[in-house]
Structures are given as structure tokens and as C-alpha cells.
């Protein structure tokens, strides 16, 4: 993993299977700045959870079940961002062992592409500092289909 990387980056991992079972790994993922983690499961009625921005927090996403699409935009102005920002997306799947790193300065949205999909999110910001970094935008602020 590149240090001080200011653009989103996919950290590739792998899966090893033999007669004993399966091991999923992402050996290039470094946990030295991780403060906490949580698991996200979107409801069937609301498969898109969007948009949450982070001025100082870095996020790392890893799919542990199903398939999810993580959308992100680079914020141009935190008080009044442009509605024309380019949405980019990365597909994460439990059948591929990859971590998506989204650095500070971005807003993200998480879209479940199947029932029961789960994503683990690692965060670099301690819980007691999240109030200074919680920037939410309307779910329709950016069209996730605009990147297709």
C-alpha cells in the first residue's frame, strides 16, 4: 500500500483453496493507522447507502459476503459541492480478496448488489473525533449511474 496516497486505490489480494478449505488474504494491507472497523449490511429496501464524506478520515472497504459496488466522488467544496462531480466506482466481491482504500477528501456510497451482501469498513479516525468529520449529502446528490 502506498503511503500518503491521495487517490482511491485497489489493494489486490488473493484466495488460496486446497483440500482443507479456503484462505482469503490481502497481504499488502497495512493496519498501522486503523483505529476501528465496522460491518455494513444494507437493507433489501435500500440497497444504496450514500453519501458520506470525510475531510480527514481514510476508509478501507473489504467485501466479506456477496457483491457490493463502492461509489466515490472527490469533493471540490465541502460547503457547496458541485452536482457535476464525476462518480467513480469499484466492484468488490467476497469471491475476490481486494481492499479499496478511499483517502480523505472523498464522499462515498455503498451499493449492495445482492441480498445478504456485507462489507467491512476500516477507519483511520478514532470514534471520539467522528463528529468533526461527519459530512453527509443527500442520497441523490450524485447519480451512481453517471459513471457507467
Amino acid at each position: 500500500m502506498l503511503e500518503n496516497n491521495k487517490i482511491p486505490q485497489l489493494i489486490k489480494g488473493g484466495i488460496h483453496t486446497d483440500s482443507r478449505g479456503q484462505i482469503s488474504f490481502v497481504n499488502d494491507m497495512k493496519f498501522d493507522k486503523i483505529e476501528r472497523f465496522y460491518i455494513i449490511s444494507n437493507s433489501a429496501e435500500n440497497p444504496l447507502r450514500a453519501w458520506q464524506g470525510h475531510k480527514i478520515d481514510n476508509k478501507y472497504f473489504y467485501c466479506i459476503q456477496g457483491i457490493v459496488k463502492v461509489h466515490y466522488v472527490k469533493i471540490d467544496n465541502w460547503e457547496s459541492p458541485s452536482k457535476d462531480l464525476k462518480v467513480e466506482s469499484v466492484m468488490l466481491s467476497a469471491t475476490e480478496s481486494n481492499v479499496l482504500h478511499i483517502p480523505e477528501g472523498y464522499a462515498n456510497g455503498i451499493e449492495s448488489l445482492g441480498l445478504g451482501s456485507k462489507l467491512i469498513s476500516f477507519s483511520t479516525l478514532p470514534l471520539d473525533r467522528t463528529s468533526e468529520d461527519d459530512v453527509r449529502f443527500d442520497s441523490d446528490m450524485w447519480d451512481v449511474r453517471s459513471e457507467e
Side-chain angles (χ1 to χ4, degrees):
M1 182 173 62
L2 300 174
E3 288 299 316
N4 298 318
N5 193 7
K6 300 295 183 186
I7 60 171
Q9 162 188 356
L10 191 64
I11 305 166
K12 298 270 189 179
I15 297 174
H16 174 76
T17 304
D18 62 20
S19 62
R20 299 168 293 171
Q22 178 176 294
I23 297 174
S24 299
F25 57 89
V26 183
N27 291 336
D28 291 332
M29 172 70 184
K30 305 300 180 219
F31 288 85
D32 55 337
K33 295 185 183 349
I34 302 298
E35 291 284 335
R36 58 196 172 87
F37 76 92
Y38 46 93
I39 297 172
I40 301 167
S41 300
N42 291 345
S43 69
E45 298 80 26
N46 296 295
L48 177 64
R49 178 186 303 255
W51 289 94
Q52 184 166 353
H54 300 284
K55 296 178 184 179
I56 53 179
D57 195 6
N58 281 241
K59 295 292 184 185
Y60 296 83
F61 296 108
Y62 181 79
C63 184
I64 57 175
Q65 186 172 312
I67 302 172
V68 296
K69 201 170 193 182
V70 180
H71 308 280
Y72 54 89
V73 294
K74 174 74 171 148
I75 301 300
D76 59 347
N77 180 316
W78 287 100
E79 287 72 37
S80 181
S82 170
K83 286 188 167 257
D84 297 326
L85 296 177
K86 181 180 181 196
V87 176
E88 297 188 66
S89 301
V90 170
M91 190 95 62
L92 297 175
S93 169
T95 62
E96 297 177 0
S97 191
N98 297 317
V99 171
L100 175 62
H101 170 222
I102 300 179
E104 72 275 3
Y106 286 79
N108 67 71
I110 298 160
E111 183 178 9
S112 296
L113 299 181
L115 289 175
S117 293
K118 292 184 180 180
L119 191 70
I120 189 166
S121 176
F122 300 96
S123 179
T124 61
L125 194 64
L127 189 59
D128 63 353
R129 293 191 56 205
T130 57
S131 64
E132 64 189 90
D133 192 49
D134 188 20
V135 183
R136 296 179 188 246
F137 304 100
D138 290 338
S139 61
D140 62 352
M141 181 71 173
W142 297 284
D143 185 359
V144 297
R145 293 173 302 213
S146 67
E147 47 74 47
E148 294 176 348

